[in-house]
Amino acid sequence: MDDESEARHEELPAEDHQGQAVDELQNQLSFNAVQAVNVYIRNLSVDINVSQGGIAKFSALIKRKKNTPTETHKTILRDVNAYMPSGSLTAILGGSGSGKTTMLHALSHRIAGSRLRIDGSILYNGSEQISTVRSAYVMQHDVLVPTLTVRESLLYAAELRLPPPASSDERRQVVEDVILELGLKECANTRIGNNLHKGCSGGEKRRTSLGVQMLANPSVLFLDEVTTGLDAASAFQLVSTLKLLASKGRTIMITIHQPRSEIWGLFDRLVLLSGGTSVYSGPAEDCIPYFGKLGFALPAFVNPAEFLIDLAAVDIRSRDLEEASSTRVEMLKQAWRTSSENGSWTSNQQIDAELAQEKIGNSVGKHASLGRQIRVLTARTFKITLRDPMGMAGSLLEAFSMAIVTGWIFFHLDGSLAGIRSREGALYTASALQGYLILLFETYRLTVDIELFDREYAEKVTSVPSFLISRRLARVLVEDLPVPLIYSVIFYFMVGFDARANQFLIFLAVNLLLHYIAVTLAMLCVSVTRSFAGASLIANMAYTLQSLGCGYFVQSNQIPVWMRWLKWTAYVFYGFGALAANEFVGHTSNSVGRVYDCPAPGGMLDAACEEYTGAYVMRSLGFPSDWMVRPILVLLAFTVAFYLGAAVVLKYKKVGLGISRARPTELDTSLGREDLRAHSLDRRRTIEVNLQNYSLDIQKRTWFLRRSEKKSILKSINTTFQPSILNVIMGPSGSGKTSLLNLMADRLRDSLSTTYQTKGDLKFNNAIPSTEVIRSICSYVCQDDDALFPCLTVRENLQFAAALRLPTHFSRSQKRERADSVLFKMGLRDCADNLVGDDLVKGISGGEKRRVTIAIQILADPQILLLDEPTSGLDAFTASSIMTVLRGLAEEGRTLIFTIHQARSDLFSHFGSILLLARGGSPVFAGKGSDMLPHLASLGFHCPTTTNPADFALDLITVNLQHAGKEIATREKVRSLISDWDISQPPIAHTTSQISVPAELGSLARSSTSFTIAFPVLLQRSFLNFRRSPTALIARTTQVLAFAIVLTLFFAPLQSNTYSIQSRLGFIQEIAALYFVGMLQNVAVYPTEKAVFYREHDDNAYSVASFFLTYTVLEVPFEILTSLLFALLIVIVAGLPRTLPLFFIVAFNCFAIVSCGESVGIMFSTLFAHTGFAVNVTSVFLSLATTMGGVMSLHIPAFLQAWNHLSPIKWSLGNLAPYTLRGLHFTCPEGDKGCGGPRTGEEVLSLYNLDTNPGVNLAALGVCVIVYRLVAWGILELKRKRWGRKAADLEGRKI
């Protein structure tokens, strides 16, 4: 829920919707007329192959000793027939898992895959191609730009989606109409927001997503659970709008879970599904009579939609109910299968197809031209970039900090031999390392931004060229030019390169081209795979090839013949070569290039001075002497080639939604366990929750930490939530319901930009509880379901949660039984062995995820249970079942407090107390549920006997933003309701409780699950989730191995001539790049696991130590294994001394550097919630450590030398160099009798200041591994202890 949106204004709700007809809507959306489209569905079936694959399939083959595995298929839809004529609004109803979303996906051609089989026919005016009609799809998941406002999102969508003949004024008018029609007026200038920066509420985001699709002016509109997250009044307004759109000739199909009775009257046609099979498909008005003929008459005063969903659902809460409901559902399926009405529309299909054939060519309107797309997308991307200060600051800060520190490292280089070597290192840093950091950051940012492109491209709203071109045009002035300019200006002059303008401009031009190559290569990597783990692997390996082929770490003539050609494909080879030519041989008429400070007495006449000439340096690096213009042209060609490659991949590589497989498991042991009290905790202690003048304000700070205007989220609230009853908080979107729950659960966190200011008291049994007490006796079910493990089954998620949350006196078998009992009670048996899934791999349905989240929280039988929209996303039958469970939990003595948007009519009588909030957080009523209607009646608002009281109350306090006249009237009405309640609210009455003293309440505080219990459970859970996650496996296993293979290909076999000195040192220096590998592995895994841990730690499930050690223990074995394989390739194949001690020394160095990289990733990912910013800061940190390792710069300032003692790279190079170089003798290359330079390994070590004690360095490296990990642990501990919270929160008032 949005804290800011709640504070915008008091939304004073709409008039009573009773009897309001659609034709009363005065706002007529100014869309162009659309072509009529009739949709025909005949025998639609969808099957999925759920057979095991990969490792699991191989293991099964071995166990069964079979060579031909059998395939198992699961039916999702079976023989569904339907007809959706033009101008109709069709509702697809059914319980969770009945196939509603799959049917919409099939109808919109959005579902495909090698394991899917789709049979039957879907015709649009007689054509099987949906591309022949203009269509739009509103998904369950909102894909919106968080930094844009609602109005801006719609305006940009209008620019892209409305047909070209529409003028700019017409587009703006349509947007304003949509804003009014969808009730978005008061949040129109509010940013969408995300989980880090709150903006619109969930309901407002839903309506914005619908508005975006409405702007496409579609003939066919698909909507998946579009009313989920909306209050009853807003849901009615939205469906009324859809009815209005349908009446203008559109064909609209909508899945919906809990439609109120007034919404039922808006449906033209209905498809009722049960277990993937239709039990009715036809006109909505004929549905109730049809079931009445079968003996299922609609009872009086019952919502028809709720009646039908209950009728088609299998009730698995007990064996008897399951048998009875299964028999009923099978009878309904058979009755419809044999009904004469099933498929009766087919007789008109041919005629309709012939009539529509002439119009098909004009059915799809024109899309925005390429020029318009580029202009709109550029403007949008520019605005998004400016509104992401952390992202933009990360880029600029990276350039500035890298330039300053690396410039300091290479500060004012002299003309000595060491200075020449350092110049080479400085030029390599400029040409390769800086671009690598840009590559990593852009890769991460693209994995986030690409989702919007994928959606718009699938909808044919944007094209690949417009996306690629606009992304660079939008950032040319804010990133693409400033970043290389800042870096070049600072670094170039700090190093002390020649100050001539033409030489500097060439340096700048090369860096600019390298910047563009980095961002275009990032685009190519993300176009291949959308996950950061996969894209970063490709980017990292590409960069490794670039750095090795450039001629710095391994000279070109030292690269094996079979790999030497790769240098011509390495853009860093050209970039480094151009910079080297610019420095060493450019801008001088001397045939030997620039001459440096040779100490020989004969000056340049002495042969020993040859290595002090620019020509010698170029030759030793393997570059031609005239190597400046051609490399620049090639760099330009690389930029174009990478972007063209990305364009081809984006255009032809389809991005689809995968579907998870069910996991095999034992028989369901939950059957028959109906009593949740079988293993319940002590219920004798009941707790009354009191709010006294409870209010919440939010204080925002700008980017410069200046305070902005304080916003009120919750006005003064006085109420009591009693145990053993259902305590309900109701109100429209933006009324502060979620904020109130977050505040009561102690989940609001102050930050640098946001401060929460609370007034009044929260009391448990008239005593103010401490944070420990709140976390011990309260469980909080959030709206989102991000605390579930996507690669675990439903049963496994519950069993692991039970092992972590239940008290220690529960045995392992009791915990398992408890998990199975809750699973059964929550109606999750049918999906118990299905993977939960995520955004990339479809698992269980949204409603099933909601139930799993609730089930986890009720496992431990909390004294106080807070639930935010527990029925959101659930069908009416499941919602009723959940409410039955919640009632049972409350009757056992718990205090249940929950928010609800759309309550069934038969649930209102069970609401023990109600807190009714208007928009802006102002209370309208707080008291017994039975007293609400009398209170409203006393003010002149009488609820009709046939109206759902919950809907009536929400209608009463919802402002009608669709009509200017009604808006004024409804605002005034709600102001009077608020004022009347302020005057008339009775004093708070406190009931007698079995806990009456603070000491007894304080005794309820419990510690989290002990380390000895939590650690093995967490380890097992993480390993299981990890083993099933392809992304995690890629991140953990492939980076090090791929890096080792590339190193071996370039360096094997290492030679022993003087030219190989640079290659051997480069070989050792390249091992330092494992620092980045550790960071990349961390970024691919840690942020997701951290989010789950934060949620569970808020629930007081287990300690920081348990999580941190689990993460470390799971990480270490993979690091050890990959390190041993790395050493095997490096020592045996590459040609280092083949001794057992050196093998283990190299393996330990690999392990230590990767582990330290992981630790640094943990530190910065914990410190910064913005992952992109964390990646940038971490990359700078690692780059500086790598640069100061001792090979790239030989004259590091004293202060940085001291700071360098904290770096594992220093100690790694400090032990690897002596171990691998001592005792070696270098000969002159064949044909070069007068070669100079060091001839022994000892002389090389002395030149590079690496002649130190390797044993001490090795021990210091081991200390770094331990210290880095302990520091990361400490930062996480401090973060979870909420550093920076005001000391006032810990005053002695609390127990």
Side-chain angles (χ1 to χ4, degrees):
M1 172 66 70
D2 170 18
D3 299 330
E4 296 181 39
S5 64
E6 290 167 357
R8 286 189 297 269
H9 298 287
E10 294 178 357
E11 177 175 308
L12 308 171
E15 292 183 332
D16 184 2
H17 288 295
Q18 294 298 318
Q20 180 178 355
V22 175
D23 57 4
E24 292 179 356
L25 295 171
Q26 298 175 2
N27 290 305
Q28 299 298 309
L29 296 181
S30 52
F31 291 143
N32 295 333
V34 296
Q35 183 191 359
V37 176
N38 296 326
V39 181
Y40 306 92
I41 306 167
R42 182 68 177 175
N43 297 327
L44 176 62
S45 297
V46 178
D47 293 336
I48 180 173
N49 184 351
V50 295
S51 304
Q52 294 179 341
I55 296 176
K57 180 178 180 180
F58 179 74
S59 301
L61 281 174
I62 295 178
K63 290 179 181 179
R64 299 173 186 174
K65 298 182 180 180
K66 293 182 180 180
N67 295 322
T68 55
T70 58
E71 292 188 349
T72 304
H73 291 265
K74 178 181 178 181
T75 299
I76 303 177
L77 291 175
R78 176 180 297 171
D79 294 332
V80 176
N81 297 304
Y83 170 51
M84 291 88 165
S86 170
S88 65
L89 173 60
T90 302
I92 304 175
L93 300 180
S96 294
S98 61
K100 303 186 300 297
T101 299
T102 300
M103 182 175 175
L104 269 193
H105 282 162
L107 294 179
S108 58
H109 292 202
R110 297 175 62 88
I111 187 170
S114 59
R115 293 190 295 115
L116 283 173
R117 185 177 64 200
I118 302 176
D119 298 320
S121 63
I122 305 170
L123 303 178
Y124 303 88
N125 284 347
S127 172
E128 293 183 351
Q129 300 299 320
I130 194 173
S131 58
T132 60
V133 300
R134 181 183 287 271
S135 64
Y137 189 102
V138 180
M139 301 181 293
Q140 285 189 28
H141 172 58
D142 298 312
V143 182
L144 300 167
V145 180
T147 52
L148 294 180
T149 66
V150 170
R151 178 174 279 112
E152 289 167 346
S153 298
L154 294 173
L155 282 172
Y156 286 125
E159 291 285 340
L160 293 170
R161 286 173 166 80
L162 286 183
S167 66
S168 177
D169 291 339
E170 288 174 334
R171 291 189 187 93
R172 289 184 175 275
Q173 182 58 49
V174 170
V175 167
E176 295 305 318
D177 291 342
V178 168
I179 288 173
L180 289 176
E181 198 68 43
L182 297 180
L184 294 169
K185 179 180 178 181
E186 295 202 348
C187 65
N189 296 317
T190 300
R191 294 186 186 181
I192 299 296
N194 54 21
N195 59 335
L196 295 179
H197 303 284
K198 300 300 182 182
C200 293
S201 67
E204 290 165 342
K205 290 179 182 178
R206 285 268 73 197
R207 283 176 276 164
T208 304
S209 294
L210 172 60
V212 167
Q213 297 302 329
M214 287 169 56
L215 290 170
N217 195 27
S219 295
V220 181
L221 181 59
F222 306 94
L223 305 103
D224 192 11
E225 302 298 346
V226 73
T227 61
T228 295
L230 302 182
D231 59 81
S234 298
F236 177 73
Q237 291 179 356
L238 189 147
V239 179
S240 298
T241 299
L242 295 178
K243 177 66 174 178
L244 177 63
L245 292 172
S247 67
K248 296 180 178 180
R250 293 172 178 82
T251 306
I252 299 179
M253 286 157 271
I254 176 174
T255 64
I256 191 167
H257 271 150
Q258 301 178 58
R260 55 188 283 182
S261 54
E262 291 85 355
I263 290 178
W264 168 261
L266 301 177
F267 298 146
D268 297 305
R269 300 186 69 83
L270 178 72
V271 177
L272 182 61
L273 297 175
S274 179
T277 303
S278 56
V279 295
Y280 179 80
S281 178
E285 60 185 11
D286 297 339
C287 180
I288 298 302
Y290 167 78
F291 285 106
K293 295 176 182 178
L294 297 177
F296 301 100
L298 175 68
F301 305 113
V302 173
N303 184 340
E306 295 172 358
F307 166 74
L308 293 175
I309 293 174
D310 291 350
L311 193 65
V314 175
D315 192 341
I316 61 172
R317 289 176 293 177
S318 71
R319 187 184 299 274
D320 292 340
L321 289 174
E322 181 179 11
E323 290 178 354
S325 58
S326 296
T327 302
R328 180 187 69 240
V329 169
E330 286 302 318
M331 187 271 286
L332 293 175
K333 291 179 181 178
Q334 181 61 29
W336 181 249
R337 196 176 296 120
T338 58
S339 172
S340 60
E341 300 177 32
N342 185 15
S344 59
W345 48 265
T346 55
S347 59
N348 298 324
Q349 178 182 357
Q350 185 63 34
I351 297 175
D352 185 86
E354 292 175 357
L355 293 174
Q357 189 66 35
E358 299 177 1
K359 301 180 181 180
I360 286 179
N362 300 322
S363 63
V364 182
K366 296 180 181 179
H367 293 285
S369 64
L370 178 62
R372 174 179 292 278
Q373 291 179 32
I374 293 174
R375 179 179 61 79
V376 174
L377 292 179
T378 300
R380 186 176 71 180
T381 307
F382 181 74
K383 185 169 291 186
I384 292 170
T385 304
L386 291 181
R387 290 184 180 173
D388 182 19
M390 293 293 285
M392 193 168 65
S395 296
L396 299 178
L397 180 64
E398 177 274 325
F400 182 81
S401 58
M402 275 293 292
I404 289 290
V405 181
T406 54
W408 194 2
I409 293 172
F410 298 102
F411 188 68
H412 281 188
L413 297 176
D414 56 27
S416 66
L417 194 60
I420 294 173
R421 297 289 183 269
S422 294
R423 285 175 188 270
E424 295 174 11
L427 294 174
Y428 171 79
T429 300
S431 63
L433 204 53
Q434 168 65 10
Y436 178 58
L437 304 190
I438 299 298
L439 172 64
L440 290 183
F441 176 62
E442 183 68 9
T443 299
Y444 171 78
R445 185 162 58 177
L446 271 169
T447 58
V448 177
D449 296 346
I450 200 73
E451 184 181 16
L452 180 61
F453 163 75
D454 285 337
R455 191 200 70 183
E456 293 182 335
Y457 182 64
E459 295 167 354
K460 296 180 173 56
V461 172
T462 59
S463 63
V464 172
S466 63
F467 169 65
L468 296 179
I469 295 172
S470 65
R471 188 169 180 86
R472 297 277 52 92
L473 285 178
R475 293 190 164 100
V476 65
L477 295 178
V478 292
E479 287 184 9
D480 291 351
L481 287 179
V483 168
L485 180 62
I486 290 171
Y487 179 82
S488 297
V489 169
I490 297 174
F491 180 76
Y492 186 90
F493 294 106
M494 284 189 70
V495 173
F497 291 131
D498 199 305
R500 283 177 291 188
N502 57 347
Q503 187 168 333
F504 168 74
L505 290 176
I506 291 176
F507 182 90
L508 173 61
V510 172
N511 274 281
L512 179 63
L513 286 172
L514 289 169
H515 175 91
Y516 271 109
I517 288 174
V519 295
T520 54
L521 177 57
M523 179 66 75
L524 179 60
C525 296
V526 176
S527 67
V528 174
T529 175
R530 298 297 191 264
S531 71
F532 179 73
S536 65
L537 172 64
I538 298 173
N540 203 33
M541 291 307 99
Y543 169 75
T544 303
L545 291 172
Q546 302 298 320
S547 63
L548 293 178
C550 73
Y552 175 69
F553 289 115
V554 53
Q555 295 177 4
S556 299
N557 55 8
Q558 297 290 304
I559 300 175
V561 176
W562 60 85
M563 296 294 295
R564 200 168 295 175
W565 62 272
L566 279 176
K567 72 177 183 180
W568 304 109
T569 66
Y571 65 82
V572 178
F573 171 76
Y574 298 97
F576 181 46
L579 292 181
N582 188 48
E583 166 62 20
F584 295 119
V585 296
H587 315 288
T588 178
S589 59
N590 196 329
S591 61
V592 296
R594 184 171 179 179
V595 179
Y596 294 92
D597 304 332
C598 178
M604 292 307 300
L605 297 177
D606 194 321
C609 289
E610 181 185 7
E611 57 184 330
Y612 287 84
T613 64
Y616 177 86
V617 175
M618 291 293 289
R619 189 167 63 252
S620 68
L621 292 174
F623 296 123
S625 58
D626 55 342
W627 197 240
M628 190 179 302
V629 177
R630 282 180 294 168
I632 292 177
L633 295 176
V634 174
L635 290 177
L636 184 60
F638 265 106
T639 304
V640 177
F642 283 148
Y643 236 27
L644 288 177
V648 171
V649 177
L650 287 173
K651 183 173 181 61
Y652 294 106
K653 186 177 185 296
K654 293 184 178 180
V655 178
L657 181 67
I659 298 182
S660 65
R661 293 178 172 90
R663 312 300 303 185
T665 186
E666 66 277 2
L667 293 176
D668 187 0
T669 58
S670 64
L671 191 60
R673 291 190 179 88
E674 304 170 32
D675 190 357
L676 281 179
R677 293 169 292 184
H679 301 289
S680 58
L681 306 179
D682 185 4
R683 299 292 189 286
R684 299 180 60 188
R685 301 178 180 181
T686 59
I687 297 176
E688 180 183 87
V689 179
N690 310 110
L691 303 182
Q692 297 181 359
N693 299 318
Y694 208 46
S695 64
L696 174 66
D697 296 333
I698 183 173
Q699 181 75 62
K700 301 289 290 185
R701 292 184 178 87
T702 64
W703 179 245
F704 300 101
L705 299 182
R706 295 178 180 176
R707 291 188 176 184
S708 60
E709 182 181 354
K710 183 185 296 184
K711 297 180 180 180
S712 178
I713 304 300
L714 294 168
K715 305 299 193 299
S716 180
I717 297 175
N718 293 280
T719 190
T720 299
F721 300 117
Q722 297 180 356
S724 304
I725 62 173
L726 297 180
N727 301 277
V728 181
I729 303 173
M730 296 197 307
S733 297
S735 59
K737 305 184 297 296
T738 299
S739 292
L740 178 57
L741 288 185
N742 284 330
L743 188 60
M744 294 170 63
D746 196 33
R747 299 296 174 91
L748 297 179
R749 304 281 188 268
D750 289 347
S751 65
L752 287 176
S753 61
T754 305
T755 302
Y756 298 98
Q757 300 176 356
T758 308
K759 296 179 182 178
D761 293 320
L762 164 69
K763 294 184 178 181
F764 291 174
N765 291 339
N766 226 15
I768 298 178
S770 65
T771 299
E772 289 73 18
V773 170
I774 292 175
R775 293 180 64 191
S776 297
I777 64 178
C778 292
S779 283
Y780 182 33
V781 180
C782 301
Q783 273 192 31
D784 51 15
D785 305 308
D786 56 3
L788 302 178
F789 282 81
C791 294
L792 297 184
T793 66
V794 171
R795 189 191 306 277
E796 289 165 346
N797 269 284
L798 281 171
Q799 288 179 346
F800 283 120
L804 291 170
R805 296 167 185 262
L806 292 178
T808 56
H809 64 263
F810 274 64
S811 67
R812 181 177 299 180
S813 61
Q814 286 177 321
K815 290 180 179 180
R816 183 180 291 270
E817 289 174 359
R818 172 69 180 170
D820 287 340
S821 176
V822 172
L823 180 146
F824 180 73
K825 197 71 175 180
M826 298 299 291
L828 294 167
R829 193 190 67 182
D830 286 347
C831 64
D833 301 316
N834 290 344
L835 297 183
V836 170
D838 54 20
D839 293 338
L840 297 177
V841 179
K842 179 175 174 55
I844 59 177
S845 68
E848 289 165 340
K849 286 183 180 178
R850 188 97 277 259
R851 282 180 277 164
V852 176
T853 302
I854 297 172
I856 287 175
Q857 293 299 333
I858 67 175
L859 277 170
D861 293 339
Q863 303 289 66
I864 300 174
L865 183 60
L866 309 175
L867 305 101
D868 193 11
E869 302 294 343
T871 61
S872 181
L874 303 182
D875 60 88
F877 172 76
T878 306
S880 178
S881 301
I882 295 300
M883 294 306 299
T884 301
V885 173
L886 296 181
R887 284 168 49 201
L889 294 172
E891 289 168 359
E892 293 169 359
R894 298 178 188 81
T895 305
L896 260 72
I897 308 169
F898 61 91
T899 64
I900 193 167
H901 268 151
Q902 301 176 44
R904 287 176 55 128
S905 55
D906 55 351
L907 293 180
F908 182 80
S909 60
H910 299 294
F911 293 169
S913 74
I914 294 176
L915 171 61
L916 191 60
L917 296 175
R919 187 176 180 87
S922 298
V924 176
F925 174 81
K928 293 181 179 180
S930 57
D931 293 341
M932 185 186 74
L933 292 182
H935 168 73
L936 296 176
S938 68
L939 301 176
F941 303 101
H942 299 274
C943 177
T945 57
T946 57
T947 299
N948 183 343
D951 294 343
F952 169 77
L954 286 173
D955 290 345
L956 196 64
I957 61 172
T958 300
V959 172
N960 189 334
L961 299 175
Q962 296 176 310
H963 314 284
K966 293 184 178 180
E967 179 183 350
I968 297 174
T970 51
R971 283 190 185 281
E972 184 57 36
K973 176 181 62 179
V974 180
R975 287 195 182 96
S976 66
L977 288 170
I978 295 171
S979 177
D980 290 337
W981 178 250
D982 288 339
I983 297 172
S984 63
Q985 62 176 307
I988 299 176
H990 302 289
T991 60
T992 303
S993 172
Q994 296 181 30
I995 297 180
S996 57
V997 295
E1000 190 173 357
L1001 180 60
S1003 68
L1004 291 178
R1006 62 175 176 83
S1007 58
S1008 58
T1009 302
S1010 67
F1011 175 83
T1012 55
I1013 295 177
F1015 174 68
V1017 174
L1018 289 171
L1019 191 61
Q1020 182 184 3
R1021 182 179 70 174
S1022 297
F1023 177 75
L1024 194 59
N1025 186 70
F1026 176 84
R1027 184 169 61 86
R1028 295 175 185 168
S1029 173
T1031 299
L1033 285 171
I1034 290 172
R1036 286 279 182 231
T1037 60
T1038 56
Q1039 296 263 16
V1040 174
L1041 293 179
F1043 183 68
I1045 292 171
V1046 173
L1047 278 184
T1048 304
L1049 289 174
F1050 270 89
F1051 286 95
L1054 288 170
Q1055 301 178 23
S1056 298
N1057 55 42
T1058 54
Y1059 283 173
S1060 70
I1061 294 174
Q1062 183 74 11
S1063 297
R1064 286 182 176 270
L1065 290 171
F1067 184 63
I1068 297 171
Q1069 177 68 42
E1070 272 294 302
I1071 294 177
L1074 290 168
Y1075 215 4
F1076 287 94
V1077 171
M1079 181 268 289
L1080 293 175
Q1081 291 182 172
N1082 173 266
V1083 174
V1085 176
Y1086 179 73
T1088 303
E1089 296 196 3
K1090 180 188 70 173
V1092 175
F1093 162 65
Y1094 279 10
R1095 181 66 58 84
E1096 294 183 327
H1097 191 255
D1098 284 336
D1099 293 335
N1100 204 31
Y1102 49 87
S1103 64
V1104 173
S1106 299
F1107 163 75
F1108 195 84
L1109 194 59
T1110 298
Y1111 183 87
T1112 300
V1113 169
L1114 190 62
E1115 160 206 341
V1116 166
F1118 289 95
E1119 289 178 354
I1120 293 176
L1121 176 62
T1122 54
S1123 296
L1124 292 173
L1125 295 174
F1126 179 87
L1128 185 66
L1129 289 170
I1130 295 303
V1131 175
I1132 306 301
V1133 181
L1136 292 178
R1138 295 180 176 90
T1139 64
L1140 189 62
L1142 185 60
F1143 171 81
F1144 286 109
I1145 287 171
V1146 171
F1148 178 74
N1149 275 268
C1150 174
F1151 166 80
I1153 297 174
V1154 171
S1155 177
C1156 288
E1158 282 262 9
S1159 297
V1160 174
I1162 293 173
M1163 294 177 201
F1164 288 106
S1165 292
T1166 302
L1167 287 171
F1168 303 109
H1170 192 293
T1171 306
F1173 185 80
V1175 168
N1176 242 336
V1177 175
T1178 308
S1179 299
V1180 171
F1181 183 90
L1182 301 184
S1183 298
L1184 298 179
T1186 302
T1187 306
M1188 293 189 296
V1191 173
M1192 298 174 66
S1193 176
L1194 305 185
H1195 294 292
I1196 302 176
F1199 172 76
L1200 292 180
Q1201 280 281 20
W1203 182 259
N1204 197 30
H1205 282 74
L1206 301 177
S1207 169
I1209 303 302
K1210 171 183 172 59
W1211 306 114
S1212 176
L1213 295 180
N1215 76 78
L1216 283 175
Y1219 280 131
T1220 58
L1221 289 174
R1222 281 179 180 170
L1224 293 182
H1225 294 272
F1226 300 103
T1227 60
C1228 289
E1230 192 173 333
D1232 189 357
K1233 298 181 180 180
C1235 64
R1239 294 297 184 89
T1240 67
E1242 285 74 11
E1243 292 178 4
V1244 174
L1245 294 174
S1246 177
L1247 175 64
Y1248 285 87
N1249 300 318
L1250 294 172
D1251 192 10
T1252 57
N1253 187 330
V1256 173
N1257 294 337
L1258 194 65
L1261 180 61
V1263 171
C1264 281
V1265 173
I1266 298 173
V1267 171
Y1268 271 50
R1269 192 53 57 102
L1270 289 177
V1271 171
W1273 185 358
I1275 291 175
L1276 185 60
E1277 284 276 10
L1278 289 173
K1279 183 77 172 181
R1280 294 310 296 163
K1281 288 182 179 177
R1282 309 176 193 181
W1283 54 17
R1285 285 201 70 174
K1286 295 181 179 179
D1289 290 342
L1290 302 175
E1291 288 180 352
R1293 298 182 303 141
K1294 296 186 177 183
I1295 351 172

